[in-house]
Amino acid sequence: MKVDILIIGAGPAGMAAALAAAPSGARIALLDDNPAVGGQIWRDGPQAHLPPQVHEQRRRLAAQSTIQLLTASRVIAQAGPKQLLVEDAACARVIEYDKLILCTGARELLLPFPGWTLPGVTGAGGLQALIKGGLPVAGERLVIAGSGPLLLASAATAQANGARVLQIAEQASWAAVAGFAAQLPRWPHKLLQALGLWHPGYRASSHVIAALGDSHLQAVRLSINGQVKEVPCERLACGFGLIANTQLGQALGCRIEHNSIAVDNWQASSQVDIYAAGECTGFGGSEKALVEGAIAGHAAVGDLAAARHLWPQRQRWQGFARALQHSFALGEPVKQLATPDTLICRCEDIALADLREHGGWTPAKLASRCGMGACQGRICGAATQVLFGWQPPAPRPPFSPARIDTLLQLGQPE
């Protein structure tokens, strides 16, 4: 398959990039591993309530004859210069492109603590995804802990589906939260959003200590303003912010700065003809992702005037991103939640005590199998970055589990 522009990730950034590039007449492929476009923030499902903007974006994408949607598809490997091997449920194909736009988004940062592997404990964003996908939570008691506005959004989703949200524990201090709130009038839409999400159980300067239970979650031990409190509940959702999905960018040789793909004013990466936009270049919400995606799409087709016209709008939302990251930076207490016997790699049952003696990610992996399980280090790798400052190396193909017949295509001549 040959296209002019291949876009990896069909969240807000990817959708905006495709729509910005489409008027040029370029052949565009928009690829995502989800069954529908929208990314994690606009994830579809039987219990999802998507804003009208999403339906409009989808309608516009469907109306463009030059845009081909490749949903439920994953990138497996680099097949050659400007070629990626892609697999879906039915087949595999090599896609050759002239320009590549990475909109690979971000994933939740999960920090280990005692009991975090108990059934009933999920990520805050993970709980949202499960509920949108049809998970029944009506009548269940829920505690949410971690850091950032996602906690309030997750609570709102759970409450709308009948859950009883008992407590929201935000690790940032009250001063940091108040400082962030004082800046919100600069972005009126965000101010209204925050007011609509406010919950009486919200407590800053608070964090999870442990999840309690035998075969499943029964209670949560929290530190609330320095006071220890145990809350009986059926579910605990913890999220400590986001971490950019940079693996594909790393594998293609893109420069990584501050754990994100480094880009210039045109959203161009350090690699020729590879652009990046959205959360993989630094998280800051759907508004930032939309404008960055549009700039990347315009720049990829050479419409630099249209791209430059969007710079002030991008600067505005990058200001929001900086305020967000500064206010909800992780404090030391949540980096020290794990005890020596707390599992860090839950796929391979590797505890904190088994990792401390190693000086980096690669020695720990070789000695203990940490990161060699089903998630391929996506969870424990991010955790060890926070806990020990370890930097995982660039991933090697295959980037995702793949069928044998898919991998055989790598050895076939053109």
Side-chain angles (χ1 to χ4, degrees):
M1 181 178 176
K2 175 72 169 69
V3 296
D4 298 312
I5 300 175
L6 174 60
I7 303 171
I8 307 297
M15 297 167 78
L19 291 171
S24 70
R27 294 168 297 170
I28 302 166
L30 179 58
L31 181 147
D32 198 278
D33 58 358
N34 284 311
V37 299
Q40 295 301 321
I41 192 168
W42 292 335
R43 190 184 185 95
D44 216 337
Q47 293 179 176
H49 302 284
L50 300 176
Q53 179 186 15
V54 183
H55 299 294
E56 174 62 16
Q57 292 277 79
R58 288 180 175 176
R59 185 195 64 76
R60 291 178 60 198
L61 285 171
Q64 295 288 342
S65 59
T66 57
I67 299 177
Q68 183 173 357
L69 299 179
L70 303 175
T71 54
S73 301
R74 298 179 297 179
V75 176
I76 302 301
Q78 186 174 16
K82 294 192 173 185
Q83 293 180 339
L84 292 178
L85 176 63
V86 173
E87 180 187 86
D88 61 22
C91 66
R93 69 184 94 192
V94 172
I95 303 179
E96 185 178 350
Y97 57 85
D98 290 330
K99 304 285 179 67
L100 178 67
I101 304 178
L102 299 175
C103 303
T104 47
R107 63 190 184 277
E108 234 174 338
L109 173 61
L110 304 177
L111 295 181
F113 54 88
W116 77 295
T117 59
L118 280 172
V121 181
T122 65
L127 179 64
Q128 268 195 312
L130 288 169
I131 293 173
K132 290 177 181 180
L135 177 73
V137 294
E140 292 187 343
R141 296 170 297 177
L142 171 65
V143 172
I144 297 178
S147 193
L150 181 59
L151 305 185
L152 289 168
S154 183
T157 300
Q159 281 196 148
N161 287 273
R164 295 169 53 203
V165 178
L166 305 179
Q167 200 87 59
I168 302 175
E170 166 59 61
Q171 64 88 37
S173 68
W174 279 113
V177 172
F180 178 71
Q183 297 182 68
L184 284 180
R186 295 165 56 192
W187 308 280
H189 170 69
K190 291 295 185 182
L191 175 60
L192 292 175
Q193 197 175 51
L195 292 173
L197 292 174
W198 179 254
H199 189 279
Y202 185 90
R203 297 290 183 273
S205 303
S206 305
H207 59 83
V208 64
I209 297 175
L212 309 175
D214 298 320
S215 59
H216 63 279
L217 179 71
Q218 295 173 308
V220 178
R221 183 175 296 138
L222 300 170
S223 172
I224 305 292
N225 290 314
Q227 301 295 315
V228 176
K229 177 181 180 181
E230 289 192 6
V231 182
C233 61
E234 285 74 46
R235 288 195 183 276
L236 168 64
C238 281
F240 295 91
L242 300 174
I243 184 167
N245 285 324
T246 61
Q247 287 89 347
L248 182 55
Q250 280 182 285
L252 296 174
C254 298
R255 189 174 77 254
I256 306 298
E257 289 182 356
H258 309 297
N259 298 321
S260 302
I261 300 175
V263 293
D264 64 12
N265 287 334
W266 309 105
Q267 299 296 140
S269 76
S270 61
Q271 291 294 308
V272 176
D273 294 332
I274 298 181
Y275 299 79
E279 307 285 65
C280 65
T281 67
F283 51 90
S286 60
E287 296 87 357
K288 172 180 170 289
L290 284 167
V291 68
E292 288 184 349
I295 291 172
H298 287 308
V301 297
D303 191 353
L304 301 185
R308 188 188 295 272
H309 181 72
L310 294 172
W311 286 5
Q313 189 178 341
R314 178 181 58 189
Q315 186 177 16
R316 179 170 181 259
W317 289 111
Q318 285 178 338
F320 174 77
R322 286 191 294 271
L324 186 70
Q325 292 159 25
H326 174 75
S327 299
F328 295 98
L330 294 181
E332 286 303 315
V334 297
K335 298 178 183 179
Q336 299 171 9
L337 295 175
T339 58
D341 60 346
T342 300
L343 292 182
I344 304 299
C345 176
R346 55 188 179 184
C347 297
E348 296 292 330
D349 292 337
I350 309 299
L352 178 67
D354 301 321
L355 296 177
R356 275 192 167 141
E357 62 189 82
H358 304 293
W361 174 257
T362 299
K365 186 175 181 179
L366 291 172
S368 70
R369 291 186 55 84
C370 180
M372 297 180 71
C375 86
Q376 287 293 285
R378 286 174 174 82
I379 304 300
C380 56
T384 58
Q385 278 185 281
V386 175
L387 296 177
F388 308 125
W390 293 353
Q391 293 296 324
R396 294 183 296 175
F399 305 135
S400 298
R403 298 186 295 268
I404 295 297
D405 61 331
T406 296
L407 298 177
L408 287 173
Q409 292 201 30
L410 291 173
Q412 295 179 359
E414 292 184 11

